[in-house]
């Protein structure tokens, strides 16, 4: 009866619209085009060719993206679904004295609140398990989650997290990685030291190499912290069945590890966790570890309803992993012809609040830091340290873009000083098949010179070898 | 006035880490009509990996890309995978897919061999057919063989496999050893205009020559390179997360954290260098991450070439470049005065 009254109150044009268009169509999400499915499609020829390898085959998901039919997490709606929001600490370093959630819980529309103390195993991390799902005793960076709310709408959840009161005992943050590197600086994650990763690569004799050098070049290079900024932010939806099995739809790029981390943090067998990744809207290394997944799973368990959490753009910046800033000291000795005879490198990686994928980044940065060049005498040392900033982790290149900036800048400094063409000095030093890498690995399928020559010819570099 | 400059940067990047286990598994099922289903635990995160894996399975079975349907990223239905990380999907998961398809093909060959009157070793899969090597007219359609395998022999053609680049520990003191299965190489050359009155840098053109082994899908390689360059331009000139003295991020939004838009993109020319790695699936290595590695270095070298200043920290914002130009002018003026 009530519904009829509402329709009768509509204005005449609205009434006409309702009568002329099928209501189902109006309710349907804005998907184009409204044509019967499956669409009659012409399969692009490259997808039908044999042999398949080498073909410029189009992606089947491309059509779905173009038509707006791809189901990203934000397009998922399960009946009775709640929306979760995570409250961020907003302070870089503090002890948590108390968390008062009463006012948030009393709000109409709020169904459940979750704090770190309720998480069965409140730690995770790919190499060091130093990161909490939600901070319960200590805040290590301003983006730490301290509580989460599930409510009937996203807006109510957002308002509710503002009503949660957290009392902090403020501590002085350590923000400078060089400060953190000093042994007298108190450990953030005491009793663990601030230097939580160290790597050395030693080859030949640098003292001898520098002694034989005609010129020595020294400079310090620095890079900044950047975000992956995927178009689709981190998101997940969790739903339990009556047998105590949870299904999580997630934006994770590695579900095997994701399932194991969810099972561990929830304290349930892996056989009771199903992790499904949809087509993910951008990753670049930022979606390698769990973020919202245990939170939505526990809120869903608490409420008996499906729960979704979608990061806002600020969440993405302050609480997901970022690229390691590096401080890179380079000292290179060369002959007067421009041949590199010795190189000494020290890298300090700003690891931020937690380890994440710092171990991998440290290793790759250190191994790659000498560049794709034959250097007989090399000493590269790398450290990664904690600071009270957004944690750094995997990001496209794992330290390689940072060290490339340093070794290639110095290569041009050397070329300029010795009046050698930048192309020539690279060709003189570049790896070839059978070259030994800084770790003594014999390299195969090496094409550095080929890429140099091809790029020079395409660019029209003066004096490019033909 | 605007000064033009050009800069080169080379790079190398590892594919298939071996310092710890790095496995992928795959399952390939050949349907009774000669199409196939591939199960993989990796995740499509926008790079086109599922298309590349379909091409690898199709190549091994002698069918077309469109004949392979890929089921991915579900821990209940797909086998384990280390994931969409470290530029490993084409190389590691690709090798697993190739081996799984080979195992399914082995069943097809065993079924087809007596029907074609030869040993299984004399057969090949090509153009939707199982045929005798050197005698392509002696063949059966792959669908007929698959149907015979299931319906007559009771051996449905299903193959599974895992691949893991051999795990090798490095010397802890010197770091010596073999930390990666293989490496890719690249050179990018940037051309820029630098306004010496404002420090503003415009990237006009980037030429990129990349090694990815033998490309499984050249179009997707080009797409990766273009995307990597846009990320590299942001890293070089614009993007930076800034913290206040209390450790709070002051620009956690896209209003104040500036990323390159299509208007900031230079013209990009991509070449794929001839290369073949015998350890990769059909000669392929990988391409995802290496594409963004040398862009910033090339741009910074181009700035140096244009205005003679070495900016030693990223990003090279207009303020930073202008300050470096002013410092250089002051230095030169001093020299003139002193001289």
């Amino acid at each position: 009866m009530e519904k009829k009254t509402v329709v009768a109150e509509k204005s005449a044009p609205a009434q006409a619209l309702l009568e002329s268009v099928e209501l189902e169509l109006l309710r349907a999400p804005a998907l184009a085009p409204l044509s019967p499915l499956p669409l009659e499609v012409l399969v692009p020829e490259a997808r039908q060719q044999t042999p398949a390898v080498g073909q410029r085959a189009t992606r089947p998901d491309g059509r779905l993206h173009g038509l707006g039919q791809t189901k990203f997490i934000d397009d998922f709606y399960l009946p009775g679904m709640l929306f979760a929001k995570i409250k961020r600490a907003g302070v870089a370093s503090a002890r948590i004295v108390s968390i008062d959630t009463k006012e948030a819980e009393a709000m109409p529309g709020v169904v459940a609140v979750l704090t770190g103390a309720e998480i069965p195993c409140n730690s995770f991390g790919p190499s060091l398990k130093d990161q909490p799902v939600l901070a319960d005793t200590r805040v290590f960076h301003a983006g730490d989650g301290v509580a989460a709310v599930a409510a009937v709408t996203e807006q109510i959840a957002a308002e509710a997290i503002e009503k949660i009161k957290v009392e902090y005992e403020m501590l002085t943050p350590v923000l400078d990685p060089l400060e953190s590197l000093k042994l007298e600086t108190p450990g953030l994650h005491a009793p663990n030291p601030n230097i939580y990763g160290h790597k050395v690569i030693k080859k030949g004799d640098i003292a001898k190499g520098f002694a034989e050098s005609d010129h020595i070049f020294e400079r310090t290079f620095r890079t900044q912290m950047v975000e992956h900024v995927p178009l689709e932010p981190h998101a997940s939806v969790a739903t339990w069945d009556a047998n105590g099995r949870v299904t999580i739809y997630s934006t994770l790029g590695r579900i095997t590890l994701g399932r194991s981390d969810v099972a561990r943090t929830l304290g349930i067998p892996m056989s009771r966790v199903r992790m499904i990744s949809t087509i993910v809207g951008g990753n670049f290394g930022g979606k390698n570890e769990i973020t919202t997944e245990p939170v939505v799973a526990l809120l869903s368990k608490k409420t008996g309803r499906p729960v979704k959490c979608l990061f806002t753009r600020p969440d993405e910046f302050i609480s997901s992993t970022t690229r390691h800033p590096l401080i890179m000291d380079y000292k290179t000795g060369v002959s007067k012809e421009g041949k590199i005879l010795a190189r000494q490198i020290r890298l300090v990686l700003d690891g931020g609040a937690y380890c994440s994928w710092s171990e991998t980044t440290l290793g790759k940065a250190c191994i790659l830091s000498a560049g794709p060049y034959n250097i007989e005498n090399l000493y590269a040392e790398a450290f990664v340290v904690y600071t009270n900033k957004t944690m750094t982790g995997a990001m496209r290149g794992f330290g390689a873009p940072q060290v490339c900036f340093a070794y290639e800048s110095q290569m041009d400094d050397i070329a300029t000083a010795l009046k050698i063409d930048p192309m020539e000095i690279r060709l003189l030093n570049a790896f070839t098949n059978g070259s030994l890498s800084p770790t003594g690995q014999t390299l195969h399928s090496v094409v550095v010179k080929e890429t140099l020559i091809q790029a020079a010819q395409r660019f029209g570099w003066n004096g490019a070898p033909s | 006035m605007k000064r033009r400059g050009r800069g080169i940067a080379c790079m190398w990047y590892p594919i298939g880490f071996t310092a710890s286990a790095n496995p992928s598994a795959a399952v390939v099922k050949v349907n009774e009509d000669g199409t196939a289903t591939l199960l993989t635990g990796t995740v499509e995160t926008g790079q086109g990996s599922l298309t590349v894996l379909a091409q690898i399975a199709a190549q091994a079975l002698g069918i077309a890309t469109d004949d392979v349907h890929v089921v991915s990223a579900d821990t209940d239905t797909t086998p384990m995978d280390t994931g969409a990380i470290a530029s490993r999907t084409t190389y590691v998961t690709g090798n697993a897919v190739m081996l799984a398809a080979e195992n399914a093909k082995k069943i097809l060959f065993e079924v087809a061999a007596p029907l074609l009157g030869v040993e299984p070793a004399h057969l090949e899969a090509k153009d939707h057919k199982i045929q005798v090597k050197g005698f392509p007219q002696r063949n059966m359609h792959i669908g007929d063989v698959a149907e015979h395998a299931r319906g007559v022999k009771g051996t449905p053609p299903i193959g599974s496999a895992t691949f893991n680049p051999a795990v090798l520990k490095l010397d802890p003191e010197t770091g010596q050893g073999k930390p990666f299965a293989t490496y890719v190489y690249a050179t990018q050359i940037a051309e820029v205009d630098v306004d010496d009155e404002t420090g503003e840098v415009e990237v006009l053109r980037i030429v990129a020559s990349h090694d990815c082994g033998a490309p499984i899908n050249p179009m997707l390689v080009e797409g990766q390179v273009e995307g990597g360059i846009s990320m590299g331009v942001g890293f070089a000139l614009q993007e930076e997360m800034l913290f206040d003295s209390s450790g709070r991020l002051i620009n956690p939004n896209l209003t104040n954290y500036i990323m390159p838009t299509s208007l900031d993109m230079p013209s990009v020319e991509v070449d794929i260098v001839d290369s073949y790695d015998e350890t990769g699936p059909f000669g392929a290595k990988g391409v995802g991450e290496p594409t963004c590695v040398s862009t910033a270095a090339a741009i910074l070298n181009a700035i140096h070439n244009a205005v003679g200043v070495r900016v030693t920290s990223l990003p090279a914002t207009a303020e930073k470049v202008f300050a470096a130009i002013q410092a250089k002018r002051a230095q030169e003026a001093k020299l003139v005065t002193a001289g």
Side-chain angles (χ1 to χ4, degrees):
Chain A
M1 286 305 286
E2 205 180 23
K3 267 187 184 169
K4 273 185 185 169
T5 318
V6 172
V7 171
E9 280 172 7
K10 293 270 182 207
S11 64
Q15 187 63 44
L17 181 71
L18 283 177
E19 282 165 6
S20 65
V21 184
E22 276 184 52
L23 271 176
E24 277 312 303
L25 278 182
L26 277 179
R27 286 199 199 100
L31 289 179
L34 292 169
S35 55
L37 295 174
L39 294 168
E40 201 178 308
V41 295
L42 284 171
V43 177
E45 208 179 313
R47 289 187 60 81
Q48 295 179 317
Q49 299 293 312
T50 56
V53 161
Q55 297 291 341
R56 303 173 70 87
T58 52
R59 295 161 45 170
D61 52 321
R63 180 182 306 278
L64 306 186
H65 293 336
L67 294 173
Q69 290 180 346
T70 305
K71 294 271 185 292
F72 293 101
I73 299 287
D74 200 24
D75 301 314
F76 274 58
Y77 183 84
L78 298 174
M81 190 171 78
L82 303 173
F83 298 85
K85 284 280 178 193
I86 298 171
K87 184 178 178 66
R88 304 288 163 196
V91 296
S93 183
R95 255 181 219 103
I96 297 175
V97 178
S98 65
I99 302 176
D100 180 358
T101 61
K102 282 195 210 76
E103 205 182 325
E105 280 169 295
M107 279 178 66
V110 170
V111 186
V113 174
L114 182 77
T115 60
E118 298 170 73
I119 294 166
C121 175
N122 195 12
S123 72
F124 70 97
S127 40
L128 299 176
K129 306 232 178 296
D130 58 356
Q131 186 171 353
V133 175
L134 293 174
D136 49 357
T137 56
R138 180 79 165 81
V139 166
F140 289 104
H141 75 106
D144 267 336
V146 288
V149 169
V152 292
T153 67
E154 206 174 347
Q155 289 76 7
I156 294 172
E159 284 167 32
I161 58 169
E162 298 302 324
K163 301 271 168 72
I164 295 173
K165 294 187 188 70
V166 185
E167 195 188 327
Y168 297 109
E169 180 195 331
M170 302 295 278
L171 301 167
T172 309
V174 177
L175 303 174
D176 178 4
L178 293 181
E179 186 65 30
S180 180
L181 190 69
K182 290 178 186 159
L183 289 175
E184 63 268 26
T185 305
L188 267 65
H189 293 266
N192 299 324
N194 281 334
I195 301 172
Y196 63 92
H198 175 232
K199 187 173 177 70
V200 170
I201 293 169
K202 211 168 11 177
K203 190 182 164 193
D205 180 351
I206 51 163
K208 182 171 154 280
F210 283 125
E212 289 169 357
S213 298
D214 296 311
H215 304 275
I216 290 176
F217 294 82
E218 281 187 83
R219 214 192 268 283
T220 298
F221 300 91
R222 289 169 179 260
T223 61
Q224 77 281 37
M225 185 183 281
V226 298
E227 227 293 302
H228 310 78
V229 200
L231 273 179
E232 183 192 26
H234 290 71
S236 64
V237 177
T239 179
W240 293 74
D241 71 15
N243 291 322
R245 200 160 187 275
V246 64
T247 299
I248 302 174
Y249 301 90
S250 160
T251 53
L252 270 176
R254 45 191 306 174
I255 54 168
T256 301
L257 177 69
R259 179 179 67 158
S260 129
D261 280 346
V262 165
R264 187 177 165 279
T265 51
L266 265 58
I268 60 173
M270 282 167 70
S271 59
R272 292 202 174 177
V273 181
R274 180 181 193 184
M275 179 79 80
I276 299 171
S277 270
T278 51
I279 294 288
V280 175
N283 174 358
F284 313 113
K287 290 168 175 166
N288 273 355
E289 58 243 89
I290 51 169
T291 52
T292 59
E293 291 80 4
V295 173
V296 291
L298 290 167
L299 283 169
S300 173
K301 191 178 181 190
K302 235 176 154 172
T303 58
R305 294 164 71 169
V307 176
K308 177 199 280 189
C309 184
L310 180 82
F311 270 11
T312 59
R313 192 53 67 181
D315 280 331
E316 200 67 37
F317 273 101
I318 66 175
S319 76
S320 80
T321 56
T322 60
R323 190 186 286 289
H324 289 76
L326 259 68
I327 300 164
M328 305 172 278
D329 299 324
Y330 270 69
K331 179 179 173 184
T332 303
V334 294
S335 71
K336 57 181 184 297
E337 294 81 23
K339 185 106 188 84
I340 301 176
L341 301 179
R343 182 164 261 177
Q344 185 175 0
I345 301 159
R346 186 185 83 152
L347 309 174
V348 178
L349 284 73
D350 185 344
Y354 304 110
C355 176
S356 181
W357 297 92
S358 284
E359 205 177 84
T360 316
T361 311
L362 178 86
K364 280 197 183 172
C366 197
I367 291 166
L368 301 173
S369 63
Y373 304 114
N374 291 306
I375 304 174
E376 276 181 32
N377 305 300
L378 176 73
Y379 185 84
E381 186 168 26
F383 303 88
V384 58
V385 294
Y386 286 123
T387 57
N388 291 110
K389 289 187 283 190
T390 312
M391 69 273 185
T392 47
M395 184 165 174
R396 199 177 198 175
F398 283 105
Q402 295 96 312
V403 296
C404 181
F405 162 57
Y407 64 70
E408 286 301 77
S409 291
Q410 195 164 56
M411 205 61 163
D412 269 23
D413 281 348
I414 298 167
T416 307
L418 303 185
K419 297 187 168 54
I420 304 174
D421 185 271
M423 184 63 62
E424 270 174 46
I425 194 167
R426 287 173 172 84
L427 288 169
L428 178 69
N429 288 286
F431 286 147
T432 51
N433 268 324
S435 284
L436 289 181
S437 78
T439 68
Q441 178 175 354
T442 306
L443 299 172
H444 66 275
S445 69
V446 180
V447 288
V448 197
K449 290 190 181 184
E450 288 80 351
T451 68
L452 270 162
I453 291 165
Q454 196 172 31
Q457 287 171 345
R458 163 80 76 168
F459 185 85
W461 193 273
N462 299 343
S466 50
Chain B
M1 72 180 274
K2 284 191 176 177
R3 311 254 177 203
R4 187 152 296 181
R6 56 188 198 164
I8 306 178
C10 279
M11 71 104 228
W12 64 314
Y13 197 79
I15 303 290
F17 61 85
T18 55
S20 58
N22 181 11
S24 282
V27 177
V28 171
K29 308 186 281 184
V30 181
N31 302 319
E32 296 88 316
D33 62 354
T35 60
T37 304
L38 163 63
L39 308 185
T40 168
T42 196
V43 181
E44 172 67 64
T45 65
Q47 72 280 51
S49 57
L50 300 190
T51 303
V52 163
L53 296 176
Q55 286 181 270
I56 290 170
Q59 178 78 9
L61 292 168
I63 56 180
T65 313
D66 208 48
D67 296 324
V68 181
H69 174 67
V70 185
V71 178
S72 70
D74 176 352
T75 57
D76 270 13
T77 58
T78 63
M80 80 70 54
D81 195 284
T82 303
I85 56 149
S87 305
R88 62 182 292 289
T89 304
T90 298
Y91 187 80
V92 182
T93 309
N95 263 320
V97 168
M98 185 182 74
L99 294 172
E102 297 284 350
N103 286 338
K105 189 166 69 176
K106 202 182 284 173
I107 297 172
L108 293 173
F109 282 2
E110 276 161 16
V111 170
L115 300 174
L116 291 167
V118 291
E119 290 295 311
H122 298 145
L123 293 174
E124 63 183 0
K126 215 173 166 187
D127 300 330
H128 308 275
K129 293 189 285 282
I130 306 296
Q131 62 192 34
V132 180
K133 282 181 202 165
F135 301 93
Q137 68 279 22
R138 283 173 66 191
N139 67 67
M140 287 178 73
H141 188 272
I142 185 174
D144 296 336
V145 179
E147 171 56 20
H148 196 84
R150 182 201 64 84
V152 178
K153 292 285 181 188
T155 55
I158 300 172
S160 69
T162 61
F163 180 80
N164 179 53
V167 179
L168 298 160
K169 285 284 170 208
L170 302 179
D171 183 314
E173 203 175 304
T174 61
Q176 294 294 297
K178 187 188 172 190
F180 301 101
T182 188
Y183 299 81
V184 294
Y185 307 88
T187 297
Q188 292 186 6
I189 304 182
E191 187 167 44
V192 304
D193 267 351
V194 182
D195 187 327
D196 66 2
E197 286 158 28
T198 64
E200 197 184 2
V201 178
E202 189 186 353
V203 186
L204 303 168
R205 179 182 178 215
I206 289 186
V207 165
S209 175
H210 277 259
D211 160 37
C212 60
I216 302 292
N217 186 325
M219 183 169 65
L220 293 176
V221 173
E222 290 159 10
Q224 283 274 23
V225 177
E226 286 165 13
I229 285 171
S230 90
M231 203 168 235
V233 169
F235 186 55
L237 301 176
Q238 299 165 309
E239 298 180 40
E240 182 169 23
M241 294 172 68
L242 298 161
F243 292 84
D244 67 15
S245 59
S246 68
R248 276 182 308 204
L249 188 64
I250 59 175
N251 59 341
N253 54 65
L254 295 174
T255 313
N256 298 314
Y257 179 94
I258 308 300
M259 293 185 72
T261 66
S262 54
L263 292 176
D264 299 301
M265 272 299 276
S267 104
V268 174
E269 295 157 56
V270 184
D271 281 310
I272 303 170
V273 81
D274 274 342
S275 174
Y276 187 94
D277 192 296
E278 60 198 13
T279 65
F282 304 108
K285 297 195 270 192
V287 76
E289 296 171 279
T291 57
C292 76
V293 170
S294 49
T295 311
I299 292 170
L300 271 282
N301 279 343
I303 294 171
H304 178 254
N305 181 247
V307 287
V309 300
R310 173 60 63 197
V311 177
T312 59
S313 71
L314 297 182
T317 56
E319 292 87 341
K320 224 182 258 179
V321 174
F322 185 58
I325 293 170
Q326 279 186 314
K328 181 171 173 269
R329 282 178 185 157
Q331 185 72 23
E332 283 164 356
K334 222 168 157 185
L335 285 174
V336 170
T337 319

